[in-house]
């Protein structure tokens, strides 16, 4: 279930917040992950502590951009903002405009998978070391390990950015797709080794970064945030090496 921050702050007798709280209750009962996308720095700045508590209480996956992350956590560094937010929820997607995006979450110590990519410097040195691991609910980890991944904008970003509206939403939609793909695969191939242990997503942190990045690029390159056509299964030409990496 996907919530936006706006839903939680309705005023003037609007019942939308009440309806959202009821929906959260149903989602929890059915063990459906609750996803919150912040969507505006201003709402968060008004009362960061309220949001921290709300996330702790109700949210599985948090999506935000660097400004919203700073308002929520006090950290301008999107990696540190992601790390702090992981104290309150199970997984975080932090987009950072031209810096690209980060995914952060948990995996069980026994299931961690080391990357073959270059280890990246940052406020958490070599933070992407286990980015080939799959996101897992913290509660499903015997020994939860925090895992981070980062990706720079696909192809350095479009030559001409037509409209940035919805780029962050596009990135989140790719994550949501992967989340749903896991449930779909689990239903259809329950015997797969993938599902011996409960993972939250189908793919690794690293792979989800690629998907999210790719969708964001497509949204930036066109005039409206609607994706009117699907992305190719595999990219031709130049991008071949990108997918192979
Ligand atoms: N100026 C840019 N150059 C290259 N890529 C960008 C740029 N702005 C956004 N992107 C891509 O789009 C993603 C989402 O954009 P962002 O601005 O972080 O989200 P939001 O729309 O929520 O503020 C980024 O993670 C990045 O991959
Ligand atoms: Mg932005």
């Amino acid at each position: 279930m996907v919530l936006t921050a706006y839903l939680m702050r309705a005023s003037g007798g609007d019942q939308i917040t009440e309806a959202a709280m009821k929906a959260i209750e149903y989602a929890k009962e059915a063990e459906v992950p609750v996803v919150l996308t912040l969507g505006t720095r201003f709402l968060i700045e008004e009362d960061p502590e309220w949001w921290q508590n709300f996330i702790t209480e109700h949210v599985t996956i948090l999506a935000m951009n660097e400004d919203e992350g700073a308002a929520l956590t006090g950290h301008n560094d999107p990696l540190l903002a992601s790390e702090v937010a992981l104290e309150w929820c199970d997984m975080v997607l932090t987009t950072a405009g031209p810096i690209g995006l980060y995914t952060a979450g948990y995996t069980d110590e026994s299931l961690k998978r080391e990357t073959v990519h270059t280890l990246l410097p940052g406020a958490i040195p070599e933070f992407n070391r286990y980015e080939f691991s799959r996101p897992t609910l913290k509660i499903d980890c015997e020994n939860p390990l925090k895992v981070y991944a980062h990706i720079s904008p696909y192809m350095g970003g479009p030559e001409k950015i037509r409209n940035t509206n919805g780029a962050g939403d596009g990135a989140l939609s790719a994550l949501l797709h992967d989340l749903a793909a896991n449930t779909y695969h689990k239903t259809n191939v329950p015997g797969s080794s993938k599902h011996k242990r409960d993972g939250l997503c189908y793919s690794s942190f690293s792979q989800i970064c690629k998907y999210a990045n790719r969708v964001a690029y497509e949204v930036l390159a066109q005039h409206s945030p609607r994706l009117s056509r699907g992305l190719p299964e595999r990219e031709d030409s130049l991008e071949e090496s990108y997918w192979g990496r």
Side-chain angles (χ1 to χ4, degrees):
M1 186 177 69
V2 185
L3 302 166
T4 75
Y6 295 106
L7 279 177
M8 305 318 301
R9 288 305 212 175
S11 55
D14 196 320
Q15 294 181 319
I16 193 85
T17 300
E18 226 173 290
M21 290 309 300
K22 193 74 195 167
I24 291 172
E25 194 185 311
Y26 291 147
K28 281 185 179 166
E29 271 171 31
E31 296 187 9
V32 169
V34 176
V35 181
L36 173 69
T37 169
L38 295 185
T40 163
R41 169 165 67 91
F42 302 104
L43 264 187
I44 311 306
E45 271 170 0
E46 279 174 17
D47 195 350
E49 212 170 308
W50 186 91
W51 288 102
Q52 293 167 12
N53 291 330
F54 176 79
I55 294 164
T56 304
E57 195 104 338
H58 303 296
V59 173
T60 318
I61 300 177
L62 174 67
M64 59 192 186
N65 69 15
E66 72 278 40
D67 298 331
E68 294 146 15
L72 181 70
T73 68
H75 290 287
N76 288 316
D77 179 338
L79 180 61
L80 289 180
S82 306
E83 187 201 21
V84 169
L86 273 188
E87 295 299 318
W88 309 319
C89 62
D90 297 277
M91 188 173 182
V92 183
L93 170 69
T94 308
T95 64
I99 309 285
L101 58 89
Y102 295 80
T103 53
Y106 291 93
T107 207
D108 190 63
E109 181 66 39
S110 67
L111 296 175
K112 68 184 182 203
R113 278 193 295 181
E114 197 151 348
T115 187
V116 300
H117 300 167
T118 309
L119 293 176
L120 299 173
I124 303 168
E126 306 188 337
F127 64 87
N128 64 319
R129 182 178 288 276
Y130 296 111
E131 65 185 351
F132 281 12
S133 313
R134 275 170 72 211
T136 306
L137 290 177
K138 191 177 182 189
I139 198 173
D140 289 334
C141 298
E142 252 171 71
N143 295 302
L145 174 73
K146 282 180 176 168
V147 179
Y148 309 91
H150 168 262
I151 197 162
S152 297
Y154 179 67
M155 312 276 280
E159 206 172 319
K160 184 170 186 303
I161 296 183
R162 295 185 188 278
N163 185 340
T164 60
N165 279 351
D169 296 333
L172 175 59
S173 74
L175 193 165
L176 295 176
H177 172 84
D178 198 82
L179 188 72
N182 191 51
T183 306
Y184 181 79
H185 190 263
K186 198 169 162 178
T187 308
N188 289 285
V189 196
S192 162
S193 62
K194 245 185 170 14
H195 307 301
K196 269 197 198 117
R197 294 282 295 269
D198 278 339
L200 182 60
C201 293
Y202 183 80
S203 308
S204 66
F205 287 94
S206 163
Q207 196 66 25
I208 294 169
C209 276
K210 284 186 191 174
Y211 296 150
N213 206 31
R214 186 64 185 85
V215 177
Y217 173 96
E218 209 65 27
V219 174
L220 291 171
Q222 59 175 36
H223 287 290
S224 90
R226 287 176 196 81
L227 280 184
S228 48
R229 58 184 177 83
L231 298 176
E233 283 277 312
R234 275 189 88 84
E235 307 280 348
D236 308 328
S237 66
L238 248 189
E239 291 95 314
E240 188 71 46
S241 60
Y242 178 89
W243 287 104
R245 241 198 313 168

